């Protein structure tokens, strides 16, 4: 391992793949090959789809790298800037629908990049330049498209809209051979066909059909930088898909296409040929185990390969946080993607080393980093979907300072109170700002999960069904929202701290009595009532485990507090047993009301638990001596 404290050297990398490559971590072993990478490298998939931060650019950077893990043939990365994106979005041709017109621009971009590659590749790899390659070189020069000469899509767009694309080098005189087509679209298509056929001839003359060497790899990434949720932006992306399909078919094994697309962009598209791309799709998914493997690989890349998994999770990190195994605690609070995991892990390291100069991370460091991370992610979610769902941030107050389990009925009440304001602030989205629309959006972005069977599913392919009624805020966002418990249950405040017992300030004679007095019987009845409620909660097998645990935890606090009062010594330690039991009974009544108000489906058994709480509250009041308050004091009110 590196010299100095290991924790000081520990680093899980940068959030963006470009800086990871620059600093070398990604290439030193910090990249974890996954199914998406293998599919991209093998050439069997053309569309790599994933959420922001899921590792699309990391795959792209790895393929661009020289050496192990990189693509062995020629490679070109296309990342449109805003100016180019604007030109493509605005591009139109009379006689062609918008998608088809924009496909011509992308086809031209691919053809130009292929021509540039061939001009350099012919001399370097084949030692010859056939006439077809020389013709491509003249074409690039005449149109200002030679390597280093620009080649922006904007230039091609303007030329394709007119007859100014110089094709003489390819044996075609535009003024004569292309004068007859009846429309702009037909004329542009004819010009482009000439360019593409010139590229096809050059590949054939060089024998670059993928058998002698790896094909040219054309990749498009970071399209989200020039995308907006407008029809012309969607048309730009559809045009890219159509162009990629055409290009892959035209050049055969000589060229491979890879498009890296954000899932929300791809899923928003709707076009007639969309079903033809399903076989080309590969969606990036991350499991908890994959994130564990990624964390270890990046840790080893920073401090040395001899670092073991046990050392990482038991020596550098605490073994558990709040009773939960450390890796599960960390990755359950991340959206399942590398960027989130990297940020959270680095935040833990920085809390421990940079802020406190510790040589290992403590539970407190993880908890503090978790609160900061949760705030980051809530803001990041807003930014990620600002274009598609600008109202997203305004939905978060519906979940603040309450339980993270919410039912459709409870959400309906909250949403009804906010509907008018939301519609006034976002009139263009009023059609989507319905209860079902909001649930679909929050589920789609990973903010809400839906209860299915005994588990909770987040952002699954199956959308939320009308009969599904229970939703959970993702653990990633709970700390920032103040929604850290499953239900908004008022915690039980212990009435007896046991300080007088600890100091020995109570009567030993009283505590040594072998017979139960009235106070003892009241307190024993309270403990029995607690056991009865806990037993009822355990029988509610359809109740979410987190909710059942929360109910049990609060009732156990009542039981444990009563259990600390020494037998026969209630009065000696300052406990008025009547008042004590009435306060506990009142808490049971309050707890029952909160459970019923939470809106959980009664089929879960929550109603039975609430009714048992009410029944035990009545029993306790009767044991004190009658109706609630009849003891003459109002301490429990």
């Amino acid at each position: 391992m590196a010299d100095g404290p290991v924790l000081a050297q520990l680093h899980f990398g940068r959030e963006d793949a470009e800086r990871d490559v620059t600093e070398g971590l990604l290439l030193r072993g910090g990249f974890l090959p996954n199914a998406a990478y293998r599919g991209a490298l093998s050439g069997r998939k053309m569309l790599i789809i994933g959420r922001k931060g899921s590792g699309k650019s990391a795959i792209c950077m790895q393929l661009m790298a020289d050496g192990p893990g990189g693509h062995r043939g020629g490679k070109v990365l296309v990342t449109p800037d805003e100016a180019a994106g604007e030109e493509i979005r605005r591009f139109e041709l009379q006689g062609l629908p918008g998608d088809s017109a924009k496909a011509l621009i992308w086809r031209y971009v691919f053809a130009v990049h292929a021509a540039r590659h061939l001009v350099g590749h012919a001399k370097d790899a084949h030692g010859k330049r056939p006439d077809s390659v020389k013709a491509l070189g003249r074409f690039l020069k005449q149109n200002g498209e030679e390597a280093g000469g620009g080649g922006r899509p904007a230039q091609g767009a303007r030329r394709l809209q007119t007859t100014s694309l110089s094709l003489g080098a390819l044996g075609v005189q535009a003024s004569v051979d292309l004068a007859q087509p009846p429309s702009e679209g037909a004329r542009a298509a004819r010009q482009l066909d000439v360019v593409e056929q010139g590229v096809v001839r050059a590949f054939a003359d060089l024998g670059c059909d993928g058998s002698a060497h790896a094909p040219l790899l054309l990749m498009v990434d970071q399209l989200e930088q020039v995308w907006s949720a407008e029809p012309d932006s969607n048309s730009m992306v559809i045009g890219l898909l159509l162009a990629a399909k055409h290009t892959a078919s035209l050049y055969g094994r000589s060229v491979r296409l890879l498009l890296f697309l954000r899932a929300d962009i791809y899923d928003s598209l709707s076009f007639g040929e969309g079903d033809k791309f399903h076989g080309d799709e590969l969606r990036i998914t991350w499991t908890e185990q994959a994130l564990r493997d990624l964390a270890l690989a990046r840790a080893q890349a920073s401090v040395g390969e001899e670092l073991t998994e046990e050392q990482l999770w038991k020596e550098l990190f605490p073994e558990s946080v709040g009773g939960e195994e450390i890796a599960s605690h960390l990755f359950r609070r991340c959206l399942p993607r590398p960027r989130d995991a990297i940020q959270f892990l680095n935040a833990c390291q920085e809390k421990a080393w940079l802020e406190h100069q510790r040589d290992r991370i403590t539970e407190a460091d993880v908890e503090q980093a978790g609160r900061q991370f949760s705030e980051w992610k809530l803001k990041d979610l807003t930014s990620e979907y600002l274009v598609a769902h600008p109202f997203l941030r305004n939905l978060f107050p519906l979940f603040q300072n309450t339980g993270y389990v919410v039912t459709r009925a409870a959400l309906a009440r909250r949403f009804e109170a906010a509907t008018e304001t939301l519609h006034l602030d976002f009139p263009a989205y009023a059609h989507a700002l319905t209860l079902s629309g909001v649930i679909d959006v929050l589920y789609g972005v990973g903010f809400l999960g839906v209860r299915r069977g005994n588990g909770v599913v987040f952002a699954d392919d199956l959308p939320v069904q009308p009969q599904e009624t229970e939703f959970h805020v993702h653990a990633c966002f709970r700390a920032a929202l103040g929604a850290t418990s499953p239900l908004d249950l008022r915690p039980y405040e212990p009435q007896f701290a046991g300080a007088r017992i600890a100091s020995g300030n109570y009567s030993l004679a009283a505590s040594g009595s072998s017979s139960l007095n009235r106070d003892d019987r009241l307190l024993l009845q309270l403990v029995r009532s607690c056991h009865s409620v806990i037993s009822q909660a355990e029988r509610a097998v359809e109740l979410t485990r987190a909710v059942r645990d929360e109910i049990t935890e609060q009732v156990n606090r009542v039981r444990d507090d009563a259990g600390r009062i020494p037998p026969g010594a209630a009065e000696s330690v300052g406990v008025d047993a009547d008042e004590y039991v009435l306060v506990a009974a009142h808490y049971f009544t309050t707890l029952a009301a909160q459970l019923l108000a939470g809106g959980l489906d009664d089929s879960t058994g929550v109603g039975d638990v609430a009714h048992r709480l009410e029944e035990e509250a009545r029993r306790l009041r009767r044991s004190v001596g009658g109706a609630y308050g009849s003891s003459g004091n109002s301490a429990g009110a």
Side-chain angles (χ1 to χ4, degrees):
M1 295 186 190
D3 294 335
V6 176
L7 189 62
Q9 307 300 325
L10 182 65
H11 191 243
F12 294 93
R14 299 294 182 180
E15 295 95 334
D16 57 295
E18 293 76 14
R19 289 182 69 192
D20 249 351
V21 168
T22 301
E23 297 178 8
L25 182 65
L26 189 69
L27 303 182
R28 289 202 308 271
F31 178 78
L32 184 69
N34 55 13
Y37 168 75
R38 291 190 291 272
L41 186 64
S42 69
R44 296 182 179 180
K45 299 295 180 180
M46 186 175 70
L47 305 180
I48 307 301
I49 303 164
R51 284 191 63 169
K52 181 178 180 181
S54 61
K56 300 184 301 297
S57 292
I59 295 173
C60 185
M61 292 295 100
Q62 189 72 10
L63 291 171
M64 284 293 293
D66 294 323
H71 178 66
R72 291 175 297 166
K75 44 216 173 191
V76 175
L77 175 60
V78 180
T79 54
D81 60 19
E82 183 54 41
E86 178 65 18
E87 193 69 33
I88 298 174
R89 288 194 298 267
R90 292 168 49 194
F91 184 73
E92 296 178 350
L93 287 171
Q94 183 265 324
L96 282 181
D99 299 349
S100 299
K102 291 171 177 58
L104 293 187
I105 288 291
W106 288 111
R107 284 170 55 188
Y108 178 78
V109 170
F110 296 149
V112 166
H113 280 300
R116 290 177 181 172
H117 164 75
L118 284 164
V119 170
H121 173 75
K123 181 179 180 181
D124 297 339
H126 296 271
K128 63 178 182 177
R129 295 186 67 186
D131 289 344
S132 56
V133 175
K134 294 176 183 177
L136 286 180
R138 291 193 297 272
F139 164 78
L140 293 173
K141 186 174 183 179
Q142 290 170 4
N143 291 279
E145 299 285 15
E146 66 268 36
R152 297 169 62 89
Q155 296 175 353
R158 286 189 290 271
R159 293 191 184 100
L160 284 175
Q161 285 177 314
T162 67
T163 56
S164 63
L165 192 64
S166 178
L167 302 174
L170 300 175
V172 176
Q173 299 300 319
S175 59
V176 176
D177 299 331
L178 300 176
Q180 298 306 314
S183 68
E184 280 184 337
R187 184 171 61 244
R190 284 282 300 275
Q191 292 186 87
L192 185 55
D193 285 342
V194 171
V195 177
E196 290 178 330
Q197 288 305 314
V199 174
V200 169
R201 282 194 299 273
F203 273 123
D205 290 347
L206 288 173
C208 296
D209 60 356
S211 57
H213 52 70
L216 170 65
L217 180 61
L218 293 175
M219 297 185 288
V220 180
D221 191 22
Q222 298 184 15
L223 200 66
E224 62 271 15
Q225 302 297 328
V226 296
W227 179 80
S228 64
E230 300 295 332
D232 58 354
S233 276
N234 284 345
S235 186
M236 173 184 67
V237 182
I238 293 170
L240 171 62
L241 295 173
L242 297 175
K245 179 77 80 172
H246 170 89
T247 300
S249 175
L250 178 67
Y251 300 135
R253 292 188 298 175
S254 300
V255 175
R256 278 180 42 207
L257 272 294
L258 268 181
L259 312 181
F260 296 87
L261 298 177
R262 244 178 47 188
D264 57 313
I265 295 177
Y266 185 73
D267 292 339
S268 70
L269 304 178
S270 178
F271 61 111
E273 297 189 56
D275 60 331
K276 296 180 180 179
F277 290 87
H278 293 322
D280 292 310
E281 299 173 8
L282 203 161
R283 292 184 180 260
I284 301 176
T285 58
W286 287 88
T287 63
E288 180 181 314
Q289 184 58 52
L291 291 175
R292 286 174 181 250
D293 294 342
L294 177 71
L296 180 60
R298 285 177 168 260
Q300 290 173 334
S302 66
V303 304
E305 293 185 3
E306 61 270 28
L307 179 72
T308 66
E309 185 173 11
E310 184 172 359
Q311 288 173 318
L312 177 63
W313 299 126
K314 293 186 178 181
E315 295 180 16
L316 295 180
F317 278 86
E319 287 192 50
S320 63
V321 175
E324 185 178 17
E325 190 267 331
I326 179 61
S328 294
H329 177 91
L330 291 166
F331 299 128
R332 198 169 62 83
R333 285 161 175 76
C334 297
L335 293 180
R337 52 189 180 185
R339 182 172 298 169
D340 285 23
I342 290 168
Q343 288 177 341
F344 197 178
L345 292 165
N346 281 336
C348 293
Q349 187 271 350
E350 290 165 6
K351 284 290 180 187
W353 174 250
L354 294 183
E355 294 188 19
H356 302 295
Q357 288 288 290
R358 288 194 264 266
D359 58 4
R360 72 186 308 272
I361 299 166
T362 66
E363 283 195 49
D365 295 325
V366 175
E367 290 170 346
Q368 290 174 21
R371 288 190 288 272
Q372 180 185 55
F373 175 75
S374 183
E375 292 171 0
W376 288 345
K377 292 297 100 182
L378 199 61
K379 292 178 182 177
D380 290 348
L381 193 69
T382 299
S383 301
E384 181 178 351
Y385 290 97
L386 185 62
V387 173
H389 308 306
F391 51 80
L392 191 59
R393 180 180 180 181
N394 297 64
L395 299 179
F396 297 153
L398 301 178
F399 305 91
Q400 281 183 318
N401 301 317
T402 185
Y404 61 76
V405 177
V406 60
T407 63
R408 190 182 291 268
L411 186 54
R413 292 193 296 270
R414 301 177 200 174
F415 181 70
E416 183 179 3
T419 300
E420 183 177 355
T421 300
L422 287 168
H423 285 187
L424 287 173
D425 290 344
F426 302 96
Y429 295 86
H431 65 286
L433 289 171
T434 62
L435 178 62
S436 60
V438 163
I439 289 174
D440 288 342
V441 167
L442 294 174
Y443 177 70
V445 302
F447 179 85
L448 282 184
V450 61
R451 167 84 179 276
R452 286 181 179 150
N454 293 324
V456 179
V457 177
F458 288 89
D460 188 62
D461 291 338
L462 179 67
V464 175
Q465 303 300 297
Q467 72 274 12
E468 293 175 324
T469 60
E470 183 179 319
F471 308 100
H472 292 229
V473 176
H474 195 287
C476 182
F477 310 109
R478 293 172 189 170
L481 293 168
T484 55
S485 59
L487 288 182
D488 187 20
L489 300 181
R490 181 170 70 85
Y492 179 73
E493 299 295 338
Q495 303 178 65
F496 179 71
R500 297 181 69 178
I501 294 177
S503 65
N505 188 16
Y506 68 96
S507 170
L508 290 174
S511 65
S513 174
S514 61
S515 60
L516 292 176
N517 59 30
R518 181 176 181 277
D519 289 351
D520 292 338
R521 288 193 294 272
L522 285 175
L523 294 171
L524 182 59
Q525 178 59 52
L526 175 56
V527 171
R528 288 171 177 166
S529 292
C530 291
H531 283 297
S532 177
V533 173
I534 292 170
S535 178
Q536 185 69 57
E538 289 298 327
R539 291 198 297 274
V541 293
E542 294 300 322
L543 202 60
T544 301
R545 167 55 67 178
V547 174
R548 189 158 63 246
D549 288 347
E550 177 70 10
I551 296 169
T552 301
E553 179 183 349
Q554 298 306 328
V555 177
N556 273 333
R557 289 172 63 129
V558 179
R559 183 199 63 187
D560 293 345
D561 190 53
R564 283 193 291 268
I565 302 173
E571 186 176 351
S572 297
V573 296
V575 173
D576 182 330
D578 286 19
E579 179 180 347
Y580 186 97
V581 171
L582 287 173
V583 169
H586 181 56
Y587 177 74
F588 280 3
T589 302
T590 302
L591 204 61
Q594 289 177 315
L595 288 175
L596 294 173
L600 290 176
D601 191 333
D602 198 49
S603 65
T604 63
V606 70
D608 292 337
V609 177
H611 296 323
R612 178 54 59 90
L613 281 162
E614 292 171 336
E615 181 179 331
E616 294 302 329
R618 287 192 294 269
R619 179 177 288 114
L620 291 171
R621 291 180 186 122
R622 286 196 299 269
S623 67
V624 170
Y628 179 52
S630 65
S631 62
N633 66 63
S634 57

